[in-house]
Amino acid sequence: MTVKQWKRIILATIVLIIVITTSCALFFGINYVALSKTKEPAEELFKAMESGDIDVREYENLVKFLKNTDTETGFSYQNLYEDLYVDNDFEYVTLENKTCYLTFDDGPNPQVTPKVLDTLKKYDVKATFFVVYQDSEECRKLYKRIVDEGHTLALHTASHNYNQIYSSVDAYIEDFNKINRHVEEITGVKPEIFRFPGGSLNSYNKGIYRELISEMVRRGYTYYDWNVSSGDAASRILTSNEIRKNVVNSDSEITGKIVLMHDGPGHGNTADALEGIILGLKKQGYSFAPLTKDIKPAVFGY
Ligand code: ZN
């Protein structure tokens, strides 16, 4: 080939490369813009969710949106567990002023839960129990006792294994279905509210929490974080006096208090603190109520 021919070939190759590169850039660029445009409504909902004051049932719009626009994700979990739905046709009421909603996570436990129930009974206080899976005869009786004594039986988790339940939305729902069926079979009550282990946003569920919350809300469930912590799950074991003080001296600006406590193994100090907590809050003019699904949840700001 002559030098001229070589030059032509090189020139043609360069032109071809330019054409291909530009086409690719345009194609992917346009698609990228289109994609980010279609994602916008979801982003808006995510932001509203992050601000913490969104009505949780609006998450359903997010789910619908995602389902329509991102079919590749599949959302196969939406077809799982056809019974795992509760009625969500109701209006939320805000947390009652000067009302305290005592909540107990991680029970039932044969050493702790009976003490808690005895104290609640003594003062005719109703509370909420976010329970885990236990199958001993003693624990089966405790699930029933919670219901019989007028408290709200709510769901926490079957396994309480963060790595397992937060590995995917499917895994979470599978676990949730297990604890739901268990307590319904024992008590005849189908719980309608729940609490995420570690709260609705934690270091384990970061990658899936929006999708997970959306799916749980789509199924009609209301979840509760808390606005007062007793500190009874801190790495250092607190005395009952410290636990009592954490609750009784909590921010007086919070007039509808959802108090996080635990009645799982090793939480005897919480059971011991309960009487002082009830008396202390009563002195401040608080009354007590169990959580019901129409009480607007305390949800963490994201
Ligand atoms: Zn827990």
Side-chain angles (χ1 to χ4, degrees):
M1 273 194 286
T2 64
V3 174
K4 213 174 177 181
Q5 277 172 325
W6 270 114
K7 273 184 183 169
R8 270 190 197 154
I9 289 169
I10 291 168
L11 196 67
T13 314
I14 290 170
V15 169
L16 198 66
I17 288 170
I18 291 170
V19 168
I20 290 170
T21 318
T22 315
S23 316
C24 283
L26 272 173
F27 179 77
F28 288 114
I30 286 164
N31 271 295
Y32 176 76
V33 172
L35 199 67
S36 23
K37 275 237 163 83
T38 58
K39 291 278 182 199
E40 253 171 38
E43 286 304 319
E44 272 171 31
L45 274 161
F46 285 154
K47 267 186 208 156
M49 200 190 270
E50 278 161 7
S51 72
D53 55 8
I54 192 174
D55 179 330
V56 291
R57 283 173 301 169
E58 288 173 36
Y59 296 176
E60 194 173 347
N61 297 335
L62 173 66
V63 173
K64 275 184 200 153
F65 174 86
L66 290 171
K67 200 181 174 188
N68 293 336
T69 56
D70 201 1
T71 46
E72 300 236 314
T73 313
F75 291 105
S76 54
Y77 51 73
Q78 292 189 338
N79 302 319
L80 299 173
Y81 313 116
E82 284 175 8
D83 297 340
L84 204 61
Y85 284 83
V86 287
D87 175 33
N88 63 353
D89 187 20
F90 59 89
E91 295 299 321
Y92 280 115
V93 295
T94 44
L95 292 177
E96 292 279 342
N97 241 358
K98 282 275 180 184
T99 302
C100 181
Y101 303 87
L102 298 173
T103 70
F104 298 89
D105 291 10
D106 300 357
N109 174 268
Q111 278 74 47
V112 183
T113 311
K115 274 192 192 172
V116 169
L117 287 167
D118 289 348
T119 305
L120 293 172
K121 199 175 190 178
K122 183 176 172 187
Y123 292 96
D124 193 24
V125 166
K126 305 299 178 206
T128 304
F129 290 82
F130 292 99
V131 298
V132 301
Y133 187 100
Q134 297 291 352
D135 204 25
S136 67
E137 203 43 50
E138 283 167 304
C139 287
R140 284 178 161 256
K141 281 183 185 153
L142 286 170
Y143 291 121
K144 281 189 205 150
R145 193 178 156 193
I146 289 168
V147 172
D148 291 346
E149 295 185 2
H151 306 292
T152 296
L153 183 63
L155 302 176
H156 195 34
T157 174
S159 70
H160 213 281
N161 179 331
Y162 285 41
N163 285 318
Q164 190 183 314
I165 60 175
Y166 293 134
S167 62
S168 68
V169 178
D170 291 70
Y172 188 88
I173 295 171
E174 187 185 338
D175 176 281
F176 191 87
N177 183 57
K178 185 178 173 184
I179 182 66
N180 179 62
R181 286 184 57 162
H182 188 58
V183 299
E184 191 181 3
E185 184 236 311
I186 295 168
T187 65
V189 171
K190 186 173 183 178
E192 297 183 305
I193 67 172
F194 73 104
R195 173 173 284 155
F196 288 106
S200 59
L201 176 61
N202 55 66
S203 55
Y204 292 83
N205 72 1
K206 264 183 190 160
I208 62 160
Y209 80 98
R210 288 167 168 169
E211 205 180 328
L212 177 55
I213 287 170
S214 302
E215 176 59 4
M216 295 309 293
V217 171
R218 188 186 71 83
R219 288 175 180 264
Y221 289 95
T222 303
Y223 70 93
Y224 291 82
D225 289 322
W226 54 89
N227 55 23
V228 173
S229 173
S230 67
D232 69 349
S235 48
R236 179 177 74 81
I237 295 173
L238 300 191
T239 64
S240 58
N241 205 25
E242 287 171 314
I243 294 168
R244 180 187 57 80
K245 279 185 186 164
N246 282 343
V247 179
V248 173
N249 302 339
S250 57
D251 190 351
S252 57
E253 299 282 301
I254 306 169
T255 58
K257 293 184 195 287
I258 296 184
V259 181
L260 172 70
M261 290 183 283
H262 295 81
D263 64 331
H267 284 287
N269 287 353
T270 302
D272 292 341
L274 185 56
E275 183 159 28
I277 288 171
I278 293 171
L279 292 173
L281 287 171
K282 273 193 168 179
K283 214 172 180 182
Q284 294 172 22
Y286 279 89
S287 58
F288 298 87
L291 287 171
T292 49
K293 67 174 178 182
D294 59 337
I295 293 167
K296 195 171 170 73
V299 175
F300 291 163
Y302 302 118

